[in-house]
């Protein structure tokens, strides 16, 4: 069928219409002669704005002044922390939030990875891969909405630039970090002022300021404090401008982050020389490592594992099948034949890439508190002033589909019962 999608190119003067030929996953046809339209059954549904603050560590809420975040917590709920998926990287965890799946199941097993079945590499810096829907498994929130006849929009979110299962949000932007935060907020408000028939009910919004500052200066620095203040101002602008809407009471704001940040010291860099392992490809190194054993000689993978474990005391070195179950990182061949999980603050590097100075990063075991992110939410069904225990990021997806009255993807790992009490059962 003919699917009409409004593609809003960040930085462009105006929107233009892209006609996409294809199937939208078996759901109702999205759009019409004048653009996307909601199925009449969804006109009374609430609106959800899922706002992600990349790299916003859970304890930044105490480390720095955050008046807008505090407003959300007072009006609704705050978790002690939100536990990201492993690896604690931007693309895997964002897409886990969007799909309710662990990385091994949705397929984005890193910011960069090798797919042995495709014989190709994926990288977040490769636009052709990022916008190729065949790399992405699962069903992100905007696809769940669109295939069930509900208009969705995205001002940046991992996966929203690709036609996952042949479907994109009705309104979306190609990522451009130079777009001012206020412009992003104002576009969300403009979307929510559309006529009810074409107004998006599922909206994502993303800010990178805190992650950028965290990598450069580290937690506790004045520079990270300035970035926190900037995005707190953006959140405050969003909350303030909601009052312009006649349907303000129907809008939920869900605030998340994908990971924290931690110092990696030069003396904590453990070198491994790949040339000592012929027939072995070290695809990813750093806070974790993904290694492919191209030599299929029986027992070769076990030999490589044992050699690496001897070289890296204190690191977790596993055959893929033996990766601890709690990490949910063993069922996908993209993970590699051998996985190394570095201890807190330590990294696996090549001899030529040993850092000279301390730097700040993430990707470590998601049990490390420094990797934990935030979760806050407000809306009419959320009682004010709640504080809940930490939970895993995969449980956000079923909560949001429940709020919107949508049928969640039955293959999602997230469970509704985890956050159902938050939204009134």
């Amino acid at each position: 069928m003919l699917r009409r999608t409004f593609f809003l190119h960040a930085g462009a003067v105006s929107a233009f219409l892209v006609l996409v030929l294809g199937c939208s996953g078996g759901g109702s046809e999205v759009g019409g002669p004048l653009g996307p339209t909601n199925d009449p059954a969804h006109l009374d549904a609430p609106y959800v704005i899922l706002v992600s603050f990349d790299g916003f560590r859970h304890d930044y809420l105490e480390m720095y002044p955050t008046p807008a975040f505090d407003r959300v917590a007072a009006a609704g709920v705050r978790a002690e922390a939100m536990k990201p998926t492993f690896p604690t990287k931007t693309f895997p965890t964002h897409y886990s939030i969007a799909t309710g799946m662990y990385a091994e199941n949705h397929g984005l097993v890193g910011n960069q990875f090798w797919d042995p079945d495709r014989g190709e590499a994926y990288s977040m810096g490769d636009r052709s891969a990022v916008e190729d829907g065949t790399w992405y498994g699962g069903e992100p929130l905007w696809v769940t909405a669109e295939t069930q006849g509900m208009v969705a929009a995205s001002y940046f979110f991992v996966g929203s630039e690709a036609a996952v299962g042949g479907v994109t949000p009705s309104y979306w932007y190609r990522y451009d970090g130079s777009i001012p935060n206020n412009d992003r907020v104002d576009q969300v408000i403009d979307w929510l002022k559309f006529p009810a028939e074409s107004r998006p009910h599922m909206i994502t919004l993303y800010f990178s300021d805190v992650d950028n500052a965290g990598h450069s200066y580290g937690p506790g620095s004045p520079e990270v404090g300035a970035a926190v203040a900037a995005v707190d101002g953006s959140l405050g602008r969003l909350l303030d401008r909601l009052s312009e809407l006649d349907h303000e009471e129907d809008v939920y704001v869900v605030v998340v982050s994908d990971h924290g940040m931690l110092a990696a010291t030069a003396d904590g860099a453990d070198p491994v020389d790949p040339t000592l392992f012929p027939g072995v490809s070290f695809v990813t190194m750093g806070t974790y490592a993904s290694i492919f054993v191209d030599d299929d000689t029986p027992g070769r993978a076990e030999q490589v594992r044992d050699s690496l474990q001897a070289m890296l005391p204190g690191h977790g070195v596993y055959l893929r099948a033996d990766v601890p179950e709690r990490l949910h990182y063993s069922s996908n061949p993209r993970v590699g034949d051998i996985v190394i999980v570095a201890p807190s603050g330590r990294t696996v590097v090549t001899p030529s890439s040993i850092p000279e100075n301390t730097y700040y990063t993430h990707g470590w075991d998601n049990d490390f508190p420094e990797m934990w992110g935030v979760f806050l939410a407000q809306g009419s069904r959320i009682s004010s002033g709640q504080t809940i225990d930490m939970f895993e990021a995969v449980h956000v997806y079923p909560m949001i589909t429940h709020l919107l009255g949508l049928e969640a993807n039955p293959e999602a790992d997230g469970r509704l019962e985890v956050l159902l009490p938050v939204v009134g059962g």
Side-chain angles (χ1 to χ4, degrees), residues 104-181:
E104 65 178 357
N105 293 328
H106 64 55
L108 289 192
V109 301
N111 287 346
Q112 300 87 26
F113 56 87
W114 175 258
D115 186 318
D117 295 328
R118 295 171 67 125
E120 297 178 82
Y122 177 98
S123 172
M124 66 178 188
D126 179 351
R127 294 307 311 174
S128 63
V130 166
E131 297 183 16
D132 180 353
T134 65
W135 282 104
Y136 302 81
E139 186 179 282
L141 284 158
W142 50 89
V143 173
T144 298
E146 294 280 356
T147 55
Q148 295 179 42
M150 178 180 283
V151 176
S154 178
Y155 213 128
F156 307 154
F157 213 87
V158 173
S160 64
E161 300 163 87
V164 180
V167 181
T168 64
S170 291
Y171 308 98
W172 61 278
Y173 281 83
R174 176 173 285 128
Y175 183 70
D176 181 346
S178 70
I179 300 301
N181 290 349

Side-chain angles (χ1 to χ4, degrees), residues 2-4 6 17 19 29-37:
L2 181 65
R3 185 174 186 280
R4 299 169 176 84
F6 285 95
L17 182 64
L19 299 181
E29 182 172 352
V30 180
L34 299 179
T37 57

Side-chain angles (χ1 to χ4, degrees), residues 69-77 239 377-380 382-386:
F69 284 82
D70 295 345
R71 283 171 62 185
V72 177
V77 61
L239 299 175
Q378 69 173 49
S380 60
I382 301 175
S383 298
S384 61
Q386 298 182 65

Side-chain angles (χ1 to χ4, degrees), residues 27-226:
S28 301
E29 182 172 352
V30 180
L34 299 179
T37 57
N38 288 294
D39 186 291
H42 297 313
L43 292 179
D44 293 330
Y47 304 86
V48 174
I49 309 170
L50 175 63
V51 192
S52 173
F53 296 93
D54 198 326
F56 198 113
R57 208 169 81 173
H58 72 102
D59 53 357
Y60 289 174
L61 293 173
E62 283 71 44
M63 198 177 293
Y64 302 106
T66 54
F69 284 82
D70 295 345
R71 283 171 62 185
V72 177
V77 61
R78 172 191 169 181
E80 294 289 349
M82 189 173 76
K83 188 176 183 178
T85 50
F86 180 82
T88 52
K89 292 287 191 179
T90 297
F91 270 48
T93 296
H94 269 101
Y95 202 58
S96 288
I97 293 168
T99 62
M101 286 182 161
Y102 297 111
E104 65 178 357
N105 293 328
H106 64 55
L108 289 192
V109 301
N111 287 346
Q112 300 87 26
F113 56 87
W114 175 258
D115 186 318
D117 295 328
R118 295 171 67 125
E120 297 178 82
Y122 177 98
S123 172
M124 66 178 188
D126 179 351
R127 294 307 311 174
S128 63
V130 166
E131 297 183 16
D132 180 353
T134 65
W135 282 104
Y136 302 81
E139 186 179 282
L141 284 158
W142 50 89
V143 173
T144 298
E146 294 280 356
T147 55
Q148 295 179 42
M150 178 180 283
V151 176
S154 178
Y155 213 128
F156 307 154
F157 213 87
V158 173
S160 64
E161 300 163 87
V164 180
V167 181
T168 64
S170 291
Y171 308 98
W172 61 278
Y173 281 83
R174 176 173 285 128
Y175 183 70
D176 181 346
S178 70
I179 300 301
N181 290 349
N182 284 350
D183 290 359
R184 307 178 198 189
V185 170
D186 292 347
Q187 176 62 79
V188 168
I189 297 301
D190 287 346
W191 278 331
L192 288 170
K193 291 180 176 181
F194 281 5
E197 292 77 12
S198 56
R199 186 184 303 152
H201 286 258
M202 177 65 239
I203 299 173
T204 66
L205 180 60
Y206 168 86
F207 303 100
S208 63
D209 308 52
V210 176
D211 184 65
N212 296 338
H215 278 294
S216 297
Y217 302 101
S221 66
E223 291 84 358
V224 169

